Amino acid sequence: MLRLVELCGTPCVHTATASDAAEATDHDGAARPLDVSVVVVRVTSVRGRGAERVVEVDGRLDGCDACWFELRMIGRASTVPAIAVGLLTPSEPGAGTQVSLPADIAAGDLIAVPCGHVSALRDIRRG
C-alpha cells in the first residue's frame, strides 16, 4: 500500500479479489469471486483533545462502504493506545464518523480503509 501511495499519491484505491473462499452470488445464483478495495487517505489535520479530537483526511469515504472497525494507520509504528476520534472527510462536515486510531495520529499519517465493494478513484477524490 505504501508503494501505491508513493506512485499515485493520496487518496488512492487498491482493488483485489478477497480470497478463494470468498464468493458473492449473482442475481442468477451463480457464484463469482468477491472483489474488495482498500482506500488510502492522508491525514491533513488533527484538532481537539480527548473525546473531542477530530482527524481530517484528504479523501471522500461516504460512498465506499467502509469497514470502519478495520481501518489502520500505515507507514509508521505507534506504541500508544488507540482512542476514539471523529474522522472528517471533505464530503462529511461536522464531527465525522467515530473510529479508533492511535492517540499520536498526526498530519501526514496514512490511513488504510478496507471497503466492502470496489471503489473507483473518482468516487474518493476531493471535489
Side-chain angles (χ1 to χ4, degrees):
M1 296 308 301
L2 295 176
R3 180 70 174 138
L4 181 64
V5 169
E6 185 179 311
L7 292 172
C8 301
T10 60
C12 60
V13 178
H14 176 68
T15 302
T17 300
S19 73
D20 294 335
E23 292 185 341
T25 305
D26 285 338
H27 64 284
D28 62 0
R32 61 176 173 75
L34 180 63
D35 290 334
V36 295
S37 55
V38 175
V39 174
V40 180
V41 292
R42 185 174 305 276
V43 175
T44 55
S45 71
V46 178
R47 58 184 185 270
R49 297 203 173 273
E52 302 299 318
R53 183 169 291 183
V54 175
V55 175
E56 186 172 355
V57 297
D58 66 353
R60 296 178 8 219
L61 301 172
D62 55 328
C64 73
D65 190 25
C67 300
W68 298 116
F69 60 93
E70 291 291 336
L71 90 150
R72 301 284 185 268
M73 184 178 72
I74 62 172
R76 75 171 175 92
S78 175
T79 58
V80 301
I83 61 169
V85 300
L87 187 68
L88 185 64
T89 69
S91 59
E92 187 175 23
T97 302
Q98 287 292 305
V99 298
S100 181
L101 288 168
D104 64 349
I105 191 86
D109 284 338
L110 299 171
I111 300 173
V113 184
C115 299
H117 68 80
V118 178
S119 295
L121 184 57
R122 70 178 172 273
D123 295 332
I124 62 167
R125 289 272 188 209
R126 280 183 180 252

